[in-house]
């Protein structure tokens, strides 16, 4: 019994000694967590567990944030602290949390903090004429002016093999060639002082397609034909070609661009220019009016969006109009023959288009200035030939009707004499006839009654 009681006493003494030793030193600070929001830094923690089990009092928390721009210190009874900080500094911040209670030895937790906010921006892959690949990128400039970055580049080639490169510049020539239409991926990661990792950027790039070669435009059978040779190095590609017609200041000058296309990327566009023929006006018609010839037409179909004028030529008579119709005085035409009327479009650059023709033959005009003179019972009738009949072979039919009947006379002269005796005034009509069958309207005058009736 005495032995059992001794064991119990020894156990209690040992337990009291262990409890005394455990409560003389604070245990580790627990569950430290650091968060950032904007330019604020939040630090959370849990106090040592033996503060509760040992019944410590007078508990104090001190948190120090040593950043690039200086030190900040907070004493609190809470389990969090709030600091301002610059996420783009080149030196990680150091956070030190110290917890003290009663006479126990304080406990300290020290932790470095660096947020991965420095990110690669504007990662660009360029392919040189020799098909070598250059990668370039940017990083934010605010707060990184004195930072020393090392950039790790990972290149996965079209065969799936990975290649690693490293540089301190913002551009790197990978020294590899990428064939047309083959895809590769590139990843660039920034490291601060080659230790602290930033945010990567990745891009998938496809080997560019060269421009077509020997490109030229020509016309054939009224059509514009594009001739070119395929790009070099397209063995891995399924290529189609796209042509685009581009408006120019003169719509009778065409610019046509061509590029190779594999369904994802285009080659460089190549241009050529060609001057196309201005087509003729359509539907040219002529109508005989009173002392005029009325022309009308529609603009060339190829010029529906162009500002054009029209050159109209009739014999020696020529003029320019912006309308799709014109009036021509019939004096400029010659009776008894057909005259070609030509209408040609003019482009905004002054290029003369194809002419359209129509033949016009005006009606034979009436004789002019008919007069009669009676001497000794003989009527002498005179007149002037129709206007514009200089090239006509004419004959004239004279007619009058009196109480004795209808009287007709035919002559090739522009005068005629005949005996006449009538007791009333009668009308004398002269009609011009041409060799081609044309007939003028009649011109009339009065033959007065004979004086001896």
């Amino acid at each position: 019994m005495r032995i059992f009681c001794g064991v119990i006493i020894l156990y209690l003494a040992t337990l009291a000694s262990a409890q005394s030793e455990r409560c003389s030193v604070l245990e580790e600070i627990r569950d430290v967590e650091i968060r950032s929001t904007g330019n604020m830094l939040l630090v959370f923690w849990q106090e040592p567990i033996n503060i509760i089990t040992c019944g410590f009092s007078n508990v104090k928390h001190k948190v120090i944030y040593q950043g690039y721009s200086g030190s900040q210190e907070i004493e609190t009874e809470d389990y969090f602290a709030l600091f301002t900080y610059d996420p783009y500094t080149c030196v990680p911040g150091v956070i030190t949390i110290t917890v003290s209670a009663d006479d126990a030895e304080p406990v300290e937790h020290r932790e470095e903090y660096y947020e991965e906010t420095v990110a690669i921006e504007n990662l660009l892959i360029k392919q040189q004429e020799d098909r070598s690949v250059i990668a370039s990128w940017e990083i934010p400039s605010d707060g990184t002016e004195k930072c020393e970055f090392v950039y790790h580049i990972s290149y996965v080639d079209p065969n799936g093999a990975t290649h690693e490169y490293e540089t301190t510049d913002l551009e790197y020539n990978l020294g590899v060639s990428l064939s047309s239409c083959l895809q590769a991926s590139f990843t660039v990661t920034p490291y601060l002082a080659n230790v602290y990792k930033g945010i990567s950027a990745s891009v998938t790039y496809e080997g560019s397609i060269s421009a077509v070669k020997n490109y030229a435009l020509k016309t054939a059978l009224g059509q514009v034909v594009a001739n070119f040779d395929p790009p070099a190095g397209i063995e891995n590609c399924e290529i189609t070609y796209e042509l685009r017609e581009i408006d120019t200041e003169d719509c009778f000058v065409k610019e046509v661009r061509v590029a190779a296309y594999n369904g994802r990327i285009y080659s460089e566009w190549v241009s050529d220019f060609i001057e196309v023929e201005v087509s003729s006006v359509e539907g040219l018609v002529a109508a005989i009016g009173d002392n005029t010839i009325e022309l009308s037409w529609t603009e060339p179909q190829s010029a529906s969006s162009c500002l054009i004028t029209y050159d109209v030529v009739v014999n020696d008579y020529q003029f320019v109009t912006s309308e799709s119709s014109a009036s021509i005085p019939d004096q400029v035409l010659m009776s008894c023959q057909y005259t070609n009327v030509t209408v040609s479009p003019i482009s905004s650059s002054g290029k003369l288009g194809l002419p359209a023709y129509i033949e016009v033959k005006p009606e034979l005009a009436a004789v002019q200035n008919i007069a009669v003179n009676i001497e000794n019972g003989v009527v002498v009738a005179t007149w002037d030939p129709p206007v514009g009949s200089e090239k006509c072979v004419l004959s004239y039919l004279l007619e009058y009707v009196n109480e004795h009947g209808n009287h007709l006379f035919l002559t090739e002269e522009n005068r005629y004499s005949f005996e006449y005796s009538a007791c009333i005034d009668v009308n004398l009509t002269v009609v011009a006839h041409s060799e081609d069958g044309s007939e003028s309207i009649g011109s009339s005058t009065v033959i007065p009654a004979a004086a001896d009736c």
Side-chain angles (χ1 to χ4, degrees):
M1 185 66 174
R2 290 179 180 177
I3 293 174
F4 176 75
C5 291
V7 171
I8 293 297
I9 293 171
L10 179 61
Y11 171 74
L12 293 174
T14 302
L15 185 63
S17 175
Q19 177 72 7
S20 175
E21 183 179 349
R22 183 170 179 266
C23 292
S24 65
V25 178
L26 294 178
E27 295 179 358
E28 291 182 355
I29 299 171
R30 299 173 295 139
D31 301 332
V32 177
E33 182 180 356
I34 302 172
R35 302 178 190 171
S36 67
T37 173
N39 64 341
M40 304 302 294
L41 197 67
L42 281 167
V43 183
F44 300 89
W45 66 90
Q46 293 292 328
E47 62 187 9
I49 190 67
N50 65 346
I51 284 182
I52 299 173
T53 59
C54 295
F56 284 111
S57 61
N58 195 27
V59 179
K60 296 180 180 178
H61 303 158
K62 182 171 69 173
V63 187
I64 299 174
Y65 170 58
Q66 179 67 49
Y68 181 76
S69 57
S71 177
Q72 302 175 58
E73 181 176 321
I74 295 176
E75 291 189 2
T76 180
E77 295 180 358
D78 297 320
Y79 301 99
F80 68 91
L82 182 63
F83 301 97
T84 59
Y85 90 118
D86 182 359
Y88 290 112
T89 58
C90 298
V91 178
V94 178
I95 297 169
T96 305
I97 305 172
T98 304
V99 178
S100 61
D102 294 335
D103 296 330
E105 183 177 345
V107 64
E108 181 178 282
H109 178 90
R110 187 175 184 274
E111 186 167 327
E112 290 185 344
Y113 179 75
Y114 177 81
E115 186 179 5
E116 298 177 8
T117 52
V118 177
I120 295 294
E121 298 177 348
N122 301 325
L123 175 58
L124 178 66
I125 306 300
K126 297 177 291 185
Q127 198 165 8
Q128 308 293 90
E129 290 185 4
D130 61 359
R131 312 201 66 75
S132 62
V133 175
I134 294 178
S136 63
W137 56 89
E138 298 175 355
I139 59 169
S141 58
D142 292 341
T144 61
E145 296 86 351
K146 298 182 180 180
C147 299
E148 294 181 0
F149 289 100
V150 176
Y151 305 99
H152 292 206
I153 305 168
S154 177
Y155 162 59
V156 181
D157 66 26
N159 298 319
T162 300
H163 309 269
E164 302 289 341
Y165 309 91
E166 189 175 284
T167 182
T168 57
D169 297 325
L170 294 174
E171 183 177 274
Y172 190 78
N173 189 332
L174 280 70
V176 297
S177 296
L178 188 58
S179 298
S180 298
C181 308
L182 295 181
Q183 293 183 336
S185 64
F186 301 82
T187 301
V188 179
T189 306
Y191 283 83
L192 178 61
N194 211 15
V195 175
Y196 301 100
K197 181 180 178 181
I199 299 175
S200 303
S202 298
V203 65
T204 298
Y205 182 80
E206 185 168 332
S208 62
I209 306 171
S210 300
V212 302
K213 299 182 295 183
N214 303 322
Y215 177 53
L217 297 174
K218 67 177 184 179
T219 56
L221 301 176
Q223 300 293 320
V224 177
V225 179
N227 291 315
F228 52 86
D229 295 328
I234 57 171
E235 296 79 9
N236 301 306
C237 306
E238 293 184 5
I239 293 294
T240 59
Y241 299 96
E242 186 169 318
L243 290 95
R244 296 178 181 175
E245 185 175 324
I246 308 301
D247 291 336
T248 64
E249 292 183 359
D250 186 340
C251 61
F252 296 108
V253 174
K254 290 185 180 295
E255 178 188 1
V256 182
R257 298 177 183 175
V258 63
Y261 181 57
N262 70 346
R264 295 178 299 276
I265 60 174
Y266 287 91
S267 71
E268 178 185 354
W269 290 90
V270 181
S271 291
D272 194 19
F273 296 84
I274 190 168
E275 187 172 350
V276 298
E277 201 169 58
V278 184
S279 58
S280 60
V281 301
E282 300 177 359
L284 176 60
V285 295
I288 307 298
D290 293 335
N291 300 318
T292 61
I293 304 296
E294 300 295 333
L295 299 175
S296 63
W297 59 87
T298 57
E299 64 185 7
Q301 187 174 4
S302 61
S304 58
S305 61
C306 299
L307 176 62
I308 62 174
T309 54
Y310 303 95
D311 180 57
V312 182
V313 178
V314 184
N315 295 332
D316 296 330
Y317 184 72
Q318 181 178 13
F319 62 94
V320 174
T321 179
S322 60
E323 304 295 332
S324 56
S325 60
S327 294
I328 302 172
D330 62 5
Q331 293 92 330
V332 304
L333 303 174
M334 300 299 294
S335 298
C336 310
Q337 65 179 19
Y338 285 95
T339 300
N340 275 331
V341 178
T342 304
V343 179
S344 304
I346 306 173
S347 75
S348 54
S349 65
K351 178 180 173 61
L352 195 64
L354 294 175
Y357 302 96
I358 190 171
E359 288 187 324
V360 177
K361 187 175 81 166
E363 294 180 351
L364 188 61
V367 299
Q368 306 292 309
N369 305 319
I370 185 172
V372 294
N373 186 26
I374 303 175
E375 296 180 2
N376 300 321
V378 176
V379 175
V380 179
T382 59
W383 57 88
D384 294 328
V387 175
S389 62
E390 291 82 354
K391 295 188 178 181
C392 298
V393 177
L394 296 177
S395 62
Y396 302 97
L397 179 66
L398 289 76
E399 179 181 10
Y400 75 91
V401 179
N402 63 10
E403 66 272 23
H404 302 295
N406 187 34
H407 305 272
L408 298 175
F409 309 99
L410 185 63
T411 181
E412 294 180 356
E413 304 292 333
N414 59 339
R415 63 181 289 132
Y416 192 77
S417 300
F418 57 90
E419 292 183 356
Y420 171 79
S421 176
C423 295
I424 60 172
D425 293 343
V426 296
N427 286 328
L428 174 66
T429 301
V430 179
V431 177
H433 291 261
S434 69
E435 191 176 50
D436 65 357
S438 299
E439 180 180 304
S440 75
I441 61 174
S443 293
S444 298
T445 188
V446 173
I447 304 175
D452 55 353
C453 285

